[in-house]
Amino acid sequence: MIPPVRDAGFRCIAPDLPGFGRSDKPVELDWYSYDRHTASMAALLEELDVRDATIVVHDWGGIIGLRLAVEHPDRIARMVITDTGLFTGHQKMSDAWIAFRDFVERTEDLPVGMLVRRGCKQDPGDQVAAAYDAPYPNSDSKAGARAFPLLIPLSPDAPGAEAGQRTLEALRGDERPKLVLWADSDPVRTTQTGERFAAALGTEIHHVIADAGHFLQEDAGPEIGRLIADWLGSGP
């Protein structure tokens, strides 16, 4: 996704969330929380003094990034939203997601590369899967990957639900430009789910990405990058 955006002249910042990628990895499941990860990304915005930014969010990136957009409107000017949501405890979770959550809860040595591979419409191949596995040399290092699905609030009184509700309500009337891209073959966040979520934000799906699964960045990264670059180039 990054090369088309970069080549169009835009600065790109791709942070790891703590516990993911090459970042340090706390090994206790209860270290991970919605509030802590939102605070860590807010600290990054402050440290780099990012302003007039476009956030490009997906999955947990949306849960965190859209909250940042509400809480730090002076730093975030536009939003690109892909296959994500905001969780208030009122949402209905799909059978595919419930099965995934159950698998994560009972699997200490989570097969990260395999899960990414299965979340793509087109097999990205052994090399890409190995790259996703590389930062996680043992089961302890996978605490973050295991913790995140378990953090989704399933009732309105669960941790994180109130923040999700507050963010959703704030974005309903938010007039900052939004670009919504959605995969056509995401079994967890279906296109219908995307349409409902976009409508809740006062917008619509602008492009359905063909032959793409949940990890649409892997299935159609260059296409998504071009769409983002074109949108940024045509905007104010």
Side-chain angles (χ1 to χ4, degrees):
M1 293 168 57
I2 289 177
V5 182
R6 177 202 61 205
D7 293 348
F10 298 100
R11 179 190 186 191
C12 299
I13 303 169
D16 286 336
L17 293 175
F20 295 86
R22 293 182 176 179
S23 296
D24 289 346
K25 295 177 176 62
V27 300
E28 300 296 333
L29 281 176
D30 60 6
W31 184 90
Y32 295 86
S33 74
Y34 184 22
D35 288 345
R36 176 168 275 157
H37 278 75
T38 303
S40 74
M41 290 298 104
L44 179 71
L45 293 177
E46 296 284 343
E47 179 71 20
L48 298 180
D49 195 23
V50 172
R51 297 185 185 277
D52 194 35
T54 300
I55 54 169
V56 181
V57 300
H58 172 261
D59 200 279
W60 261 96
I63 301 169
I64 294 167
L66 294 175
R67 180 176 169 185
L68 287 177
V70 167
E71 296 179 356
H72 300 273
D74 56 322
R75 298 191 179 276
I76 295 171
R78 292 162 299 274
M79 307 168 212
V80 178
I81 299 166
T82 74
D83 293 53
T84 186
L86 285 166
F87 299 104
T88 65
H90 295 286
Q91 76 282 341
K92 184 182 186 314
M93 306 304 292
S94 68
D95 291 342
W97 185 86
I98 291 170
F100 168 66
R101 185 190 188 282
D102 290 345
F103 173 76
V104 169
E105 191 168 29
R106 67 175 183 268
T107 307
E108 288 189 14
D109 195 2
L110 206 62
V112 174
M114 183 196 79
L115 290 173
V116 173
R117 206 167 189 166
R118 288 185 177 179
C120 297
K121 178 71 180 293
Q122 305 162 65
D123 188 349
D126 293 344
Q127 187 174 2
V128 170
Y132 278 103
D133 280 325
Y136 308 99
N138 52 48
S139 60
D140 285 348
S141 66
K142 300 175 183 180
R146 290 188 62 217
F148 265 43
L150 309 180
L151 292 176
I152 298 291
L154 300 181
S155 65
D157 59 350
E162 187 275 332
Q165 184 69 47
R166 184 175 68 248
T167 301
L168 183 61
E169 290 172 358
L171 288 174
R172 281 193 176 119
D174 194 301
E175 296 184 355
R176 281 173 288 182
K178 301 177 186 70
L179 175 66
V180 182
L181 311 174
W182 217 269
D184 68 344
S185 301
D186 187 338
V188 178
R189 306 294 295 169
T190 64
T191 307
Q192 292 76 18
T193 300
E195 289 170 348
R196 291 194 297 271
F197 183 55
L201 300 181
T203 187
E204 61 185 356
I205 295 177
H206 300 99
H207 298 278
V208 174
I209 307 301
D211 297 319
H214 180 67
F215 294 110
L216 65 169
Q217 312 95 322
E218 288 295 345
D219 282 321
E223 176 187 354
I224 293 168
R226 286 192 296 270
L227 287 169
I228 294 170
D230 290 348
W231 181 69
L232 289 174
S234 64

